[in-house]
Amino acid sequence: MTPVIWRAADAADAEALAYLGAATFMATFAFDHPGQPMMEHLRQEHSAAYYARALCDPATDILLGETPLGAPIGYAMITPPSHPALQQEGDIELKRIYLLGPWQGGGNGKDLLDLVFAVAEKRMAKRLLLSVYEKNVRAIGFYERAGFGAIGETVFMVGPVPFRDLVYARNMV
């Protein structure tokens, strides 16, 4: 398998993140997300402008994985928490974590998650939150093996279409 080089994303990576975000979102959720709402979601939530704004936010960290030739293959986005009813003081959120299919299952996900844990520790987070689509069984298993436990649920909107997400947490201290 082609090795992955992980690094902190910077402002020059917005376009690569947009392509990668759109590709991984579609590959993960096209099985049951309606086409037109998904396309609108991608235009808004996975645009280069979206990632450019995120990369300028000092409260957001984005880790980017690339092949040795510089092709983007995965990323993680760590942000302030967005679950007011479930969050506690000292929480941070793993907002997005995606790998292209050929890089899944070979330890790259664990490596990326370990880097996320390091960012959470650097930010002195007490707990790391994440949301996961209830039908994403593979991701749920991955998070549970990494020590996350379910603490509630939320609704994730793709355009006007609601999807049930489970909210998970992992103590960092």
Side-chain angles (χ1 to χ4, degrees):
M1 177 180 295
T2 305
V4 179
I5 300 162
W6 297 105
R7 65 178 177 84
D10 60 38
D13 296 315
E15 186 174 31
L17 287 163
Y19 287 126
L20 184 58
T24 54
F25 190 90
M26 288 193 322
T28 305
F29 302 113
F31 74 96
D32 76 345
H33 283 48
Q36 193 55 43
M38 185 178 345
M39 294 301 106
E40 184 57 33
H41 175 80
L42 296 177
R43 274 191 291 279
Q44 292 179 19
E45 300 296 323
H46 289 281
S47 67
Y50 172 89
Y51 287 103
R53 286 188 302 274
L55 288 162
C56 290
D57 182 349
T60 296
D61 290 283
I62 301 178
L63 303 168
L64 178 62
E66 299 173 316
T67 67
L69 296 176
I73 60 85
Y75 75 109
M77 178 185 286
I78 305 102
T79 67
S82 62
H83 306 287
L86 300 171
Q87 67 196 48
Q88 302 171 359
E89 185 177 332
D91 282 352
I92 197 166
E93 183 172 354
L94 174 54
K95 190 69 152 183
R96 296 178 180 172
I97 183 169
Y98 290 108
L99 284 168
L100 291 174
W103 283 268
Q104 294 177 8
N108 291 313
K110 182 186 178 315
D111 292 347
L112 179 53
L113 192 55
D114 286 344
L115 292 171
V116 169
F117 292 155
V119 168
E121 289 171 6
K122 182 182 91 177
R123 289 195 173 264
M124 297 185 292
K126 295 178 183 172
R127 207 168 59 148
L128 181 62
L129 304 180
L130 61 84
S131 297
V132 58
Y133 182 37
E134 67 179 339
K135 294 182 181 178
N136 194 343
V137 176
R138 186 174 180 188
I140 289 169
F142 174 73
Y143 298 135
E144 289 178 350
R145 287 188 302 277
F148 287 88
I151 62 167
E153 60 184 65
T154 189
V155 174
F156 183 81
M157 299 300 294
V158 177
V161 183
F163 291 89
R164 181 175 172 256
D165 277 3
L166 306 174
V167 179
Y168 275 67
R170 180 185 188 272
N171 290 330
M172 297 302 301
V173 291

